Amino acid sequence: MAAEFDVIVIGAGPGGYVCAIRAAQLGMKTACVEVRDSLGGTCLNVGCIPSKALLESTHHLHQLQKEFADHGITVEKIGIDLKKMQARKSGVVQSITSGVDFLFKKNKITWLHGWGKVEAENKVSVRSKEGETKTYSAKHIVIATGSEPIELPFAKFDHKFVVDSTDALMFEKVPEHLIIVGAGVIGLELGSVWSRLGAKVTFIEALKNILGNNDIETSNSMLRILTKQGMTFHLESMLESIEIKGDKVTARCKGKEDVFEGDKVLIAIGRKPASSKLGLEELGVKREKNGCIIVNEKFESSVASVYAIGDAISGPMLAHKAEEEGIALAEFFAGKAGHVNYESVPNIVYTWPELASVGLSEEEAKKRGINYKTGKFQFRANGRSKAMGNVDGFVKIIADAHTDRLIGVHILGPMASEIISEIAVAFEYGASAEDLARSVHAHPTLAEAVKEAALDVSKQAIHA
């Protein structure tokens, strides 16, 4: 045996590296297995961080082209240096991932560089890129291997014409026509990036609305705004085939006349757990049909000493959800009361305007038979929003009709990703709509729209 640890985490994404840090803080001898040459997993390397860097850069371009003239700012010539933009994105990624490396050293976490596999209870093997394999023991083994893009059987990724989300972050030139299959979070964010840079962007979506199970009123408003921005959406359209000829790719839809020819097709129909080749089948770890590892309330799998968190288990595939699970699990190991309140986990779409929500949609509330009331406030009536020149969207609050307790909040508007944090805290403490309405919100701020929507639940909005 090469070494013994209290905890070995397989995967150094947000769930894995945070779990490792918290375990080390609590005095456990901790190791983390990661095959990439940088820590941070999909999120930091080829997901959350690089996509937000490109979204930020292209939002500046959008403001220059569409908004600054209204503020009295004119620019005679606007240029795009995609190579420099991509280099900045890479620099942001490198800075953040190296920060995780520093945190590992600070907390004396051992980075086991290679592919991890659970060989038996309390045993993990790590195979290096050179092919050398070493075996380690641990009291607790944590599977935090994240997720990977779902591939269509008739549209395999060739990473040139048929691409995944990682490829779509690294284009060396702007496509003339980018076809995106799937109008979910990933598709909308990457579509926004390349649309702002000048690409024609066409969405093929099998459902009758964008953003899956999101609140339909909110997602329909988002659809109208993004269509106005120049993106095209074909809803209730099922991709049937992909054909590549020369330097063009053709996408055909089932049962429709829709045929689209473009430079690239981005398949963005969702992600699946990256839990294969970990030795789980041989060990007898029970999984769901979609590959998610089945765990109990303390993240224990069906095999002693093996635990799982993040995208490897059921629930929303969100970095912050994985982080909270990682912290809770490490605290369980230490005999503490770990805690994750799934009702207060925010969901965010980083388009512009942004969309952020916590809790139930109106449709889910109806399905559960909840008697509810709603309040809504438009950003066009908000002073800060008017001053910014960003007036699209609204705040929608759903509260229990009997108790007034918050059960769902949906924000479509500027900086919704920042405003939603007060909602997450409110949910954590079981707040009512009246609690939000009676909380003092600074003026002028975008967050005042939350207060007004809360007031509107009891039809007392001041500025509507």
Side-chain angles (χ1 to χ4, degrees):
M1 299 298 296
E4 294 184 359
F5 295 92
D6 295 310
V7 178
I8 294 180
V9 181
I10 302 178
Y17 85 73
V18 167
C19 182
I21 290 172
R22 185 65 182 129
Q25 287 177 342
L26 291 167
M28 288 171 257
K29 185 179 180 183
T30 305
C32 187
V33 184
E34 175 56 54
V35 68
R36 278 191 176 93
D37 292 330
S38 57
L39 300 168
T42 295
C43 178
L44 272 61
N45 286 279
V46 292
C48 319
I49 299 304
S51 64
K52 302 313 166 282
L54 288 180
L55 281 161
E56 191 68 25
S57 295
T58 58
H59 180 58
H60 292 323
L61 174 65
H62 173 80
Q63 289 178 305
L64 270 171
Q65 294 173 328
K66 307 292 184 181
E67 297 177 9
F68 279 8
D70 291 337
H71 292 267
I73 302 169
T74 57
V75 180
E76 291 185 4
K77 185 178 180 181
I78 300 172
I80 298 171
D81 186 338
L82 182 57
K83 185 176 180 180
K84 188 171 183 178
M85 188 181 292
Q86 290 284 23
R88 177 189 177 274
K89 174 206 73 179
S90 298
V92 170
V93 169
Q94 194 279 329
S95 174
I96 294 176
T97 56
S98 63
V100 179
D101 192 9
F102 165 78
L103 292 173
F104 268 34
K105 291 171 182 174
K106 175 185 175 183
N107 290 282
K108 298 180 172 58
I109 298 166
T110 302
W111 178 0
L112 302 175
H113 205 159
W115 286 271
K117 183 178 180 181
V118 185
E119 296 290 350
E121 291 182 19
N122 306 107
K123 288 183 172 57
V124 173
S125 66
V126 179
R127 179 169 57 88
S128 70
K129 290 182 179 179
E130 294 72 34
E132 181 184 4
T133 300
K134 293 183 179 180
T135 303
Y136 304 86
S137 67
K139 295 176 186 176
H140 309 291
I141 300 168
V142 181
I143 306 299
T145 45
S147 60
E148 59 192 3
I150 295 174
E151 189 174 45
L152 291 169
F154 57 87
K156 298 284 188 181
F157 298 126
D158 64 8
H159 305 292
K160 182 178 180 182
F161 296 103
V162 182
V163 302
D164 62 18
S165 55
T166 300
D167 302 319
L169 289 167
M170 301 177 180
F171 294 159
E172 294 180 353
K173 67 176 184 177
V174 178
E176 289 184 19
H177 186 192
L178 175 62
I179 301 165
I180 302 178
V181 182
V185 177
I186 295 171
L188 294 184
E189 290 183 357
L190 290 172
S192 292
V193 166
W194 295 108
S195 176
R196 293 167 185 169
L197 288 169
K200 176 184 177 182
V201 175
T202 300
F203 284 90
I204 299 172
E205 171 55 58
L207 300 178
K208 63 181 179 180
N209 54 276
I210 66 173
L211 292 171
N213 295 324
N214 196 77
D215 183 81
I216 290 177
E217 180 185 19
T218 312
S219 61
N220 283 345
S221 294
M222 171 73 90
L223 175 63
R224 289 191 290 271
I225 293 168
L226 295 181
T227 300
K228 188 178 177 182
Q229 290 177 8
M231 289 175 266
T232 303
F233 294 83
H234 295 265
L235 304 179
E236 297 184 273
S237 294
M238 182 75 72
L239 182 69
E240 184 175 45
S241 67
I242 293 288
E243 183 181 7
I244 300 169
K245 280 189 177 181
D247 59 354
K248 295 294 180 182
V249 56
T250 301
R252 298 178 186 275
C253 294
K254 190 179 296 183
K256 290 203 170 193
E257 298 296 322
D258 294 337
V259 179
F260 308 99
E261 184 181 83
D263 306 78
K264 297 180 185 294
V265 173
L266 165 60
I267 307 297
I269 58 173
R271 298 179 68 84
K272 62 181 180 180
S275 56
S276 61
K277 301 179 182 178
L278 294 173
L280 303 180
E281 298 90 346
E282 298 90 330
L283 202 58
V285 174
K286 293 182 180 179
R287 295 191 291 174
E288 299 174 21
K289 289 182 179 179
N290 62 3
C292 289
I293 298 168
I294 298 172
V295 296
N296 64 15
E297 67 280 358
K298 291 192 173 182
F299 308 108
E300 297 172 305
S301 76
S302 57
V303 173
S305 81
V306 179
Y307 304 77
I309 58 172
D311 292 1
I313 65 174
S314 63
M317 290 183 170
L318 300 169
H320 43 282
K321 175 256 197 187
E323 289 181 356
E324 295 305 315
E325 290 174 340
I327 291 171
L329 181 54
E331 292 178 348
F332 286 141
F333 292 158
K336 296 180 178 293
H339 165 78
V340 181
N341 182 359
Y342 291 101
E343 292 183 357
S344 66
V345 175
N347 285 276
I348 302 169
V349 188
Y350 293 88
T351 48
W352 193 266
E354 296 177 337
L355 193 159
S357 63
V358 175
L360 304 181
S361 67
E362 197 168 347
E363 291 70 35
E364 288 170 325
K366 288 177 182 176
K367 191 179 294 184
R368 296 188 188 189
I370 299 173
N371 188 13
Y372 65 89
K373 51 188 178 179
T374 63
K376 193 161 70 171
F377 189 78
Q378 301 286 341
F379 275 105
R380 64 172 173 264
N382 173 267
R384 181 68 183 276
S385 184
K386 282 182 175 292
M388 291 172 63
N390 296 129
V391 296
D392 287 330
F394 54 84
V395 177
K396 177 179 179 178
I397 293 179
I398 307 168
D400 188 289
H402 300 299
T403 65
D404 196 42
R405 184 170 179 170
L406 299 171
I407 58 175
V409 177
H410 304 268
I411 304 172
L412 174 62
M415 304 305 293
S417 60
E418 301 297 329
I419 304 170
I420 201 66
S421 292
E422 76 162 289
I423 304 302
V425 173
F427 267 72
E428 190 66 34
Y429 286 93
S432 66
E434 185 179 356
D435 289 329
L436 279 180
R438 290 189 179 277
S439 299
V440 178
H441 286 65
H443 174 77
T445 60
L446 296 170
E448 285 180 284
V450 172
K451 179 182 178 75
E452 291 280 0
L455 284 165
D456 192 52
V457 170
S458 56
K459 307 311 169 193
Q460 299 176 42
I462 301 298
H463 294 94

